[in-house]
Amino acid sequence: MRREYTCIICPIGCDMTAEIEDNEMVSLVGNNCAKGRVYVQQELTNPIRTIATSVLVKGGELPLASVRLNKPVPKASLFKVMAEAKKVILLAPVRIGQVALQNVAGTGADLVVTKHVDAIH
Amino acid sequence: MRDNTYDILIIGGGVIGSSVARELSRYRLRIGVLEKELDVACGNSCRNTGMLHAGFTYKPGSLKAECAVEGNREFDQVAQELDIPFKRTGKVVVGFSDEDMQNILRFKRIGELNGVRGLEMIDKAKLNQIDNSAGGEFALYSRDSGILNPMLYNIALAENAHQNGVDFFFDSEVKAIKRQGEHFQVTAGDSVFSSRWIVNCAGMHCVTISEMLGLHGHQVKGFKGEYYVLDKKASQFMNIPVYPAPNAKGGFSTHATPTVDGNILVGPDSYITEDPDDFASTRDHMQGLVKDGSAIFKHMKAEYFIRNFAGTRWKRVDPETGDVLDFLIENRDDHPGVVNLIGIESPGLTCALPIARRVVAKIQEKEVLEVNNDFNPYRKGIVRFAEQSKERKKELIATDPDYGEIVCRCETVTRAEIVQAINNPLGAVTLTGIKNRTRACMGRCQGGYCETRITALIQEQCKVREHEVMYQHKGSGMFIGKVREVLDGE
Amino acid sequence: MENKDVIIIGGGPAGLAAAVQLYKLGITNILILEREKHLGGILRQCIHDGFGLQRFCESLSGPEYAQRFIDEVRELNIPYMTEVTVTEVTAGRKVTAISRRGVMEFQAKAVALTMGCRERTRGAISIPGTRPAGVYTAGVAQSYMNLANIMPGQEVVILGSGDIGLIMARRLTLEGAHVKAVFEVQPYPSGLPRNIEQCLNDYEIPLFLSHTVVDVKGHSRLEGVTVAQVDEQYRPIPGTEQEYNCDTLILSVGLIPENELSLGAGLTLDSRTKGAVVDEDYQTSCTGIFAAGNVLQVHDLVDFVSIEAERMALSIQECFLSSQFGNAEIEIVVDASISYSVPQKTTGKKDFTLSLRPKRPGRNCTVFVKQENVTIARKKFAKVLPAEMIQLAIPAERIDPEKKLEITLI
């Protein structure tokens, strides 16, 4: 079976065509680099994604701090990640790189802060 | 408890209702205005060209003619009293053909009969001298025509009325009126009011109110017109309103008008509508405006388009013949205590104060009104930072640092102006109310930069939550809540 | 009046990169003027990742990408002022700015315009219908959600497949809104393919090409939109109308360089890019006034914005060193296959990078840069999309100063 993929690893977004038999990739054309092959392989076995969202900050100059997953998680668990992120409340100040939530929804990935939020004076 | 007993209740806070309120506040009376929207100037008072008409197209002897000429003559003083932007630009009505010449000359004669001053036929050379973008072989030049900001005029009248003691009730749609002896009992919004007099200034809803008052038999017909608003960049090409020659009935097809704020309006066209709240722009008419507008204004190009809007004129018509009739201001002996205004449409903006004085006169026919010696005709507008000299800007910031915080980039509107718009007497509670008072969001980015800041200021200054921030009408909540909220019990 | 070597207007990605580069090149009497409370520009609200892959070889969120430059600005002690709005730039490089502290005036040897861009609005594309609450441009909705903690709506239709619109489709979905569909008037998407994949396909949000909104309904809050298919001339096809009930319409219909200040200075603007006409030094039609980033041309990747701003900084330094502010006279023209090019003219004395955008999607195309029949540069592309900017190097030594450069994509 032939299947089309658009690589999401970088902004080039290669259009790739994979020949698939029994959920195994037999051949792949269209990828400009090796990452494309890894991506298709991953899509076949267990599609993974990273997402970004926000968490509440108490006492900050901004109401929210942006966060993102520090590594991709199975696509199926994205809404579980969101449900967990909604419960997080950080105390200002928060700094980029600070872990907002460890091992979020049991995925092994952490939610990491991506914006400095100073405390309100 | 609030005392809801009034001498006079005015239904409608448009430019007519607000003018009537202001003129009545010259007398010792308890006056209230009932407005169904959340602000004044929400109906056709904010949906028109903003022309101060000279009065050369209206039938001699008509109220329209009489009030337009009167309203035009006094407007320099009115603008000064109310501190509103106004320019006596003059206007040209251009023609190409013999037929145009006949129509134009006819209206020049009508104008002169109506008492319009400064009407002059000019040749092509003079026309080009006045505005070289105006096409045409000859023109009627009307020296006294002018342009004003209709929203600010309406707001200024209401604020002035309010500072002279008039109460304004918003979100107060009149649902029922009952006559009880010498009084009327008026149910509006969630309240009941009592008043000796009712003045119907309900604009497009005037017949509904008239029926409630028991004055039957009036009919109005809706004429809708759509507009394009053009970027200020386009105003370099036009400095005076240019109208094509009128048709034999005195109607003007699509024209272009510079606004007092520096935009260009193209429109309105004209077609029948049945729905008083029909303010939708429609694809066909927008395309028509582009086509017809290009004929009269050659810079009618997509790169200048910043917004569209539509207004409606509800003309009084003869129920038998369908003929369009004059404004009506009536106080019938069989319906004492009512001043009924029907079919107040264009040139209602120009005629607003003259109409208001005629309303006052109707009441004075029935009772002696005691002069309010405290009446102050002057109202101060919000000082517009953008229009000040550099020295004055420095002073303003020194006095109020909020003047140093530019909220709206396109129109250079500062935080101080927004805060004043919210906190002034009769202050704005909606985004549109702030726009109308300050011009924030009215530039080419249409709020892309400032809208988030203004809605934050509404929350801060009015102490309301996200879902309570209104765009314009009741129920026009801009947001559904927070993205992240502290959950209960945490 | 304070004298500065360079005044940088806007502390977003372009302004920050320019400032850091200028400083490193030894031009230190500079000042960044930023109207917001924080440096970083639009990146502050772009919390999704995918930034910095070119530059830092890792996928960062917008705020992180910005912070890398802000940290450099701080480490180098580069002067900047926030909550300052520039209200005027003159052709003579006098800069007037307003803040809560008062009115400030600067005389600059060079002005770097790095104001970024703004969004096209409903009015600009003449969408018919009523004017209820609930119609937002994608960037405004993004600002509400990611900066102000405000949720704009629940039932959402998106018009336009620009990247911000696609990103917002995912963002709204993750926060519990229901994005019913994305409609694009062009027969191809205007956002990057990866965003179609990970923002729409992942969440089963349908994308309808050659469709547009033909009516907006609702008196107070938006109640629904009517959508129709369009023909090749973008005219709605009668009979294809479909109703979508929704309380929110998000518009992602293009970005326009923010050139209000440029106009005030009397710069010549390019009607295609809507940015200034520049030479290979990024110098505008006004001597000593330069422009880079989205104020010059709308980029699809911030990495390219940074690079462009750094090239501009280098040019400013060269102009300072040589005391020569170029006077470009060689025209660069594009044919119908290309939307625009930057720069639009060159002195022919310096190698430079030419940026351009194809008008239509294509495969296995070659860009030719010719002077009459002589090809002076060419580059082959396996795939070109209007959503993706193309760049190629132009060697000065091959330029004939007597002839214009003609660019075509075949």
Side-chain angles (χ1 to χ4, degrees), chain A:
Chain A
M1 187 184 70
R2 182 169 291 189
R3 209 190 283 173
E4 306 285 333
Y5 289 91
T6 302
C7 185
I8 65 168
I9 303 302
C10 89
I12 296 170
C14 293
D15 288 328
M16 305 177 289
T17 308
E19 197 63 48
I20 292 155
E21 276 172 29
D22 297 332
N23 219 34
E24 295 268 334
M25 178 170 50
V26 181
S27 69
L28 182 72
V29 290
N31 54 319
N32 281 328
C33 77
K35 286 177 190 160
R37 180 169 294 275
V38 176
Y39 172 72
V40 174
Q41 198 65 261
Q42 190 73 48
E43 287 293 286
L44 281 171
T45 51
N46 178 21
I48 52 171
R49 298 287 184 272
T50 59
I51 50 165
T53 184
S54 298
V55 298
L56 269 180
V57 178
K58 255 192 187 166
E61 39 143 18
L62 296 170
L64 299 174
S66 52
V67 294
R68 65 180 170 93
L69 289 166
N70 64 347
K71 58 181 179 189
V73 301
K75 208 159 100 174
S77 56
L78 290 179
F79 283 94
K80 285 182 212 149
V81 170
M82 286 301 297
E84 293 298 310
K86 282 177 190 173
K87 297 179 198 160
V88 175
I89 300 175
L90 301 177
L91 281 180
V94 302
R95 313 311 287 170
I96 289 177
Q98 182 178 333
V99 174
L101 191 60
Q102 260 182 339
N103 187 19
V104 50
T107 57
D110 300 339
L111 273 179
V112 179
V113 171
T114 60
K115 186 189 280 174
H116 295 332
V117 180
D118 291 337
I120 261 175
H121 330 294

Side-chain angles (χ1 to χ4, degrees), chain B residues 179-196:
Chain B
R179 190 186 283 274
Q180 290 183 323
E182 299 282 285
H183 284 75
F184 293 94
Q185 195 193 67
V186 180
T187 311
D190 300 327
S191 305
V192 178
F193 298 83
S194 168
S195 180
R196 297 191 296 115

Side-chain angles (χ1 to χ4, degrees), chain C residues 322-357:
Chain C
S322 64
S323 300
Q324 280 190 334
F325 290 81
N327 184 17
E329 277 171 353
I330 306 169
E331 262 189 283
I332 302 173
V333 295
V334 299
D335 73 0
S337 62
I338 295 165
S339 298
Y340 67 79
S341 81
V342 170
Q344 295 87 342
K345 52 185 189 168
T346 174
T347 59
K349 291 173 188 156
K350 246 186 227 181
D351 295 351
F352 64 95
T353 303
L354 185 75
S355 303
L356 46 93
R357 229 172 245 281

Side-chain angles (χ1 to χ4, degrees), chain B residues 116-388:
Chain B
V116 179
R117 295 170 187 163
L119 291 176
E120 187 190 340
M121 289 307 295
I122 56 173
D123 60 14
K124 196 171 183 172
K126 181 83 191 289
L127 176 62
N128 286 338
Q129 211 182 334
I130 291 171
D131 190 316
N132 61 16
S133 79
E137 293 300 314
F138 53 87
L140 171 65
Y141 175 60
S142 165
R143 183 196 66 197
D144 287 351
S145 302
I147 50 177
L148 63 134
N149 176 323
M151 289 82 91
L152 278 184
Y153 180 36
N154 193 156
I155 289 161
L157 286 163
E159 285 183 2
N160 188 225
H162 183 62
Q163 85 195 51
N164 284 303
V166 177
D167 292 335
F168 280 76
F169 299 93
F170 296 108
D171 191 8
S172 298
E173 180 169 359
V174 172
K175 291 170 189 155
I177 305 171
K178 247 193 325 203
R179 190 186 283 274
Q180 290 183 323
E182 299 282 285
H183 284 75
F184 293 94
Q185 195 193 67
V186 180
T187 311
D190 300 327
S191 305
V192 178
F193 298 83
S194 168
S195 180
R196 297 191 296 115
W197 284 91
I198 302 282
V199 185
N200 173 12
C201 300
M204 61 253 198
H205 299 286
C206 63
V207 169
T208 310
I209 299 296
S210 181
E211 295 284 325
M212 277 188 203
L213 286 162
L215 285 94
H216 304 292
H218 293 307
Q219 200 174 319
V220 289
K221 193 173 174 185
F223 292 78
K224 181 175 167 185
E226 299 192 17
Y227 290 85
Y228 264 90
V229 185
L230 270 52
D231 194 314
K232 284 180 170 177
K233 285 177 196 163
S235 68
Q236 61 184 300
F237 308 115
M238 174 175 259
N239 45 38
I240 181 170
V242 177
Y243 284 38
N247 58 31
K249 281 181 169 176
F252 288 100
S253 56
T254 296
H255 44 268
T257 311
T259 72
V260 75
D261 300 296
N263 296 94
I264 301 275
L265 295 179
V266 174
D269 54 2
S270 181
Y271 60 104
I272 305 290
T273 184
E274 307 287 332
D275 175 5
D277 292 316
D278 176 12
F279 295 130
S281 300
T282 60
R283 193 180 161 77
D284 288 351
H285 289 274
M286 289 162 85
Q287 284 176 341
L289 284 178
V290 173
K291 188 167 155 279
D292 299 343
S294 306
I296 191 99
F297 183 60
K298 54 179 182 267
H299 304 282
M300 178 69 189
K301 292 178 188 157
E303 65 185 287
Y304 298 126
F305 297 168
I306 61 174
R307 200 176 174 87
N308 295 83
F309 71 93
T312 54
R313 289 169 294 159
W314 290 83
K315 294 172 186 279
R316 185 166 72 102
V317 292
D318 186 317
E320 303 284 308
T321 63
D323 289 347
V324 171
L325 302 173
D326 195 10
F327 293 160
L328 177 73
I329 306 169
E330 63 172 352
N331 168 231
R332 293 194 209 161
D333 284 339
D334 56 346
H335 287 83
V338 174
V339 183
N340 201 26
L341 279 67
I342 304 291
I344 313 293
E345 42 105 16
S346 179
L349 192 69
T350 309
C351 298
L353 280 171
I355 288 171
R357 285 192 292 271
R358 283 159 178 75
V359 170
V360 174
K362 291 278 181 203
I363 295 170
Q364 279 174 321
E365 281 171 19
K366 301 293 182 212
E367 64 184 61
V368 176
L369 301 181
E370 188 192 339
V371 171
N372 170 13
N373 291 317
D374 299 330
F375 176 79
N376 177 6
Y378 292 94
R379 164 264 183 196
K380 276 310 282 177
I382 297 169
V383 174
R384 286 202 201 184
F385 184 78
E387 291 166 4
Q388 309 305 312

Side-chain angles (χ1 to χ4, degrees), chain C residues 25-27 109 314-325:
Chain C
L25 291 166
I27 299 171
K109 270 199 223 164
L314 194 59
S315 301
I316 294 174
Q317 185 223 20
E318 285 169 5
C319 291
F320 279 1
L321 286 178
S322 64
S323 300
Q324 280 190 334
F325 290 81

Side-chain angles (χ1 to χ4, degrees), chain B residues 36-37 47 228 231 233 277 279-283 286-287 302-303 305-309 385 390 393-394 397 400-406 409-410 412 414-415 444-449 451-453 455-456 459 466 471-485, chain C residues 35-36 83 85-88 94 96 98-103 105 118-119 121-137 140 143-146 148-154 171 175 212 214-216 219-221 234-236 247 258 260-261 263 269 274:
Chain B
K36 74 179 171 71
E37 299 287 343
R47 301 173 167 280
Y228 264 90
D231 194 314
K233 285 177 196 163
D277 292 316
F279 295 130
S281 300
T282 60
R283 193 180 161 77
M286 289 162 85
Q287 284 176 341
E303 65 185 287
F305 297 168
I306 61 174
R307 200 176 174 87
N308 295 83
F309 71 93
F385 184 78
K390 193 173 277 176
K393 281 178 179 166
K394 287 177 182 169
I397 299 172
D400 179 0
D402 278 356
Y403 268 111
E405 196 175 320
I406 290 167
R409 177 66 192 85
C410 302
T412 322
T414 64
R415 181 186 164 100
R444 57 188 69 107
C445 91
Q446 288 285 294
Y449 178 63
E451 187 199 284
T452 55
R453 288 155 180 78
T455 55
Q459 285 185 67
E466 296 78 12
Y471 177 68
Q472 177 173 20
H473 304 295
K474 190 182 176 183
S476 64
M478 293 186 66
F479 315 115
I480 58 170
K482 288 187 191 299
V483 177
R484 290 278 173 276
E485 201 133 20
Chain C
R35 63 186 181 184
E36 298 282 341
E83 297 181 290
T85 305
V86 174
T87 54
E88 195 186 11
K94 206 176 92 181
T96 307
I98 306 282
S99 81
R100 297 182 68 87
R101 298 179 292 279
V103 181
E105 285 169 288
R118 61 183 162 85
E119 295 181 281
T121 63
R122 174 180 175 181
I125 58 168
S126 298
I127 301 175
T130 57
R131 305 216 138 265
V135 181
Y136 296 102
T137 55
V140 169
S143 167
Y144 277 128
M145 285 184 75
N146 296 348
N149 192 21
I150 285 174
M151 195 67 186
Q154 180 59 37
R171 184 85 194 98
E175 292 301 346
T212 195
V214 295
D215 200 11
V216 169
H219 177 68
S220 297
R221 175 82 194 196
Y234 310 114
R235 289 175 307 210
D247 61 20
E258 178 132 323
E260 332 310 319
L261 291 172
L263 280 171
L269 297 189
K274 315 282 182 210

